[in-house]
Amino acid sequence: MMNFELETQRLRLQPIVASDSIALHEIFIDAYVRKYLCDDRVWELQQIEEMSLENQNLFDTQKLGLWFIKTKDTEEIVGFIGLWYFFEEEQPQLVYALIPTATKKGYATEAALKIIEYCFKELGYKYLLASCDRPNLESIKLTQRLGMREVEQRTIEDKPIVFFKIENDLVHCQD
C-alpha cells in the first residue's frame, strides 16, 4: 500500500489497515462513539476486521478510506476520520469519530480540514458530503465550523438524517 499518511499541526492521520482491527474495534465499541455512528449497536470484532480489509482495499484502489487520528506528541489514537460510502451515494462522505477524552480540543476540525483538502487537491472532488443524525448536535456544529451547508434532510431507517455539503471553492474554517 502506498503511503497515505497525512499530518496537521498537532495530528498524524494514519491509514487503517487490516492489522489495526483491534484498535479500531476499541473505538467502535465505546458508548459515546456508537451512540450515533452505530445506532448504539455493539459491533463484533469480525465486522471490524471485514471493515479494515475493505478499508485497505479502498486505499489500494481509490486512494481513500479511514485514517486513525493520532496526536503527534503522544502518538495516542484518539479516533478516526476519513471517507466512506453511505446511503447509496456515488461519492464517499466525510466520517469521523473521537473517543470522549479527545473531544472539545479541536481535533475533529483539524483532521476534517485536512481530509477536505485531500479530497479537493489529491482526489479532485468538486464537492464533499457529510451526514449525521439530526440529534447529533456536535457533528452539526462541526460541519458549520468546516464551512459546510445543510442541503437535505431524509428519514433513513426511521431516523432523521441531515446532509451537508462543501464545494471545492469554499474551503475555509469559520471560528
Side-chain angles (χ1 to χ4, degrees):
M1 187 162 93
M2 291 176 54
N3 182 9
F4 292 104
E5 280 197 23
L6 303 172
E7 287 193 16
T8 68
Q9 183 177 347
R10 300 179 297 158
L11 305 171
R12 188 177 328 283
L13 307 181
Q14 181 180 42
I16 297 171
V17 295
S19 59
D20 293 326
S21 296
I22 292 173
L24 184 59
H25 188 246
E26 289 298 314
I27 296 169
F28 268 98
I29 62 173
D30 183 277
Y32 175 81
V33 170
R34 71 173 196 259
K35 179 177 181 182
Y36 294 117
L37 197 59
C38 307
D39 296 328
D40 213 19
R41 289 191 306 262
V42 176
W43 288 9
E44 299 297 324
L45 180 57
Q46 181 181 348
Q47 289 175 277
I48 301 300
E49 288 170 344
E50 291 167 5
M51 183 181 197
S52 298
L53 278 171
E54 183 178 347
N55 193 62
Q56 193 168 324
N57 182 53
L58 280 172
F59 273 108
D60 289 341
T61 60
Q62 298 181 39
K63 301 180 183 174
L64 59 88
L66 302 176
W67 287 260
F68 277 131
I69 302 171
K70 292 183 169 184
T71 58
K72 280 186 179 178
D73 56 352
T74 64
E75 286 292 314
E76 176 190 7
I77 296 172
V78 296
F80 68 84
I81 192 154
L83 304 165
W84 201 257
Y85 290 94
F86 294 101
F87 309 124
E88 309 300 321
E89 297 290 331
E90 61 186 52
Q91 184 172 286
Q93 294 184 37
L94 178 67
V95 62
Y96 82 98
L98 293 177
I99 59 174
T101 56
T103 63
K104 310 276 188 250
K105 297 179 181 179
Y107 292 156
T109 303
E110 191 172 325
L113 285 170
K114 190 66 177 182
I115 296 299
I116 291 170
E117 177 186 308
Y118 179 81
C119 284
F120 294 152
K121 288 185 176 178
E122 300 300 322
L123 300 178
Y125 285 12
K126 304 281 186 247
Y127 67 91
L128 182 63
L129 293 176
S131 62
C132 66
D133 295 1
R134 164 58 69 197
N136 188 345
L137 299 180
E138 290 178 27
S139 286
I140 290 172
K141 289 176 186 172
L142 173 65
T143 62
Q144 293 166 345
R145 283 193 304 274
L146 297 172
M148 299 182 101
R149 60 182 169 75
E150 184 176 324
V151 292
E152 183 180 7
Q153 291 189 41
R154 291 190 223 159
T155 301
I156 300 173
E157 297 177 12
D158 296 324
K159 291 182 177 49
I161 307 292
V162 187
F163 288 79
F164 300 89
K165 183 177 188 177
I166 188 167
E167 311 237 358
N168 194 348
D169 58 346
L170 298 177
V171 180
H172 64 285
C173 182
Q174 300 172 344
D175 291 330

